[in-house]
Amino acid sequence: GEASDSEMADITPEASALAEKNQFAHFVDCIVKGEEPIAPISQGFEMLLMLDGLYLSQDTGASVELKGA
């Protein structure tokens, strides 16, 4: 909720679908039962692009444009 100047705001994240289900068990279900993953591979790929960009920016000290995301 909203917090006044003298109060701390509650920034506790809401539980995601993966937090309620064991991630490894979900992965196995996707393979064995043909279930759709909660997080698609495209989302993982975008995360890897962002992490790669962060490391490159740190190494070069320059901004990095992410392509393919």
Side-chain angles (χ1 to χ4, degrees), residues 1-2 7 9-10 22 29 32 37-38 42 46 49 54 62-63 67:
E2 295 294 318
E7 296 176 351
D10 181 8
N22 179 294
D29 285 345
V32 174
I38 293 170
S42 60
E46 289 177 3
L49 287 175
L54 286 170
S63 296
K67 297 179 181 180

Side-chain angles (χ1 to χ4, degrees), residues 3-42:
S4 69
D5 290 338
S6 63
E7 296 176 351
M8 299 281 290
D10 181 8
I11 59 170
T12 306
E14 293 183 28
S16 71
L18 281 178
E20 296 172 10
K21 185 174 185 177
N22 179 294
Q23 292 179 29
F24 183 73
H26 174 68
F27 176 73
V28 171
D29 285 345
C30 289
I31 294 170
V32 174
K33 299 176 183 175
E35 294 183 0
E36 286 291 317
I38 293 170
I41 194 166
S42 60

Side-chain angles (χ1 to χ4, degrees), residues 47-59 62 64 66:
M47 180 60 66
L48 288 174
L49 287 175
M50 287 189 285
L51 290 171
D52 191 44
L54 286 170
Y55 285 120
L56 182 59
S57 178
Q58 178 185 356
D59 290 345
V64 174
L66 301 178

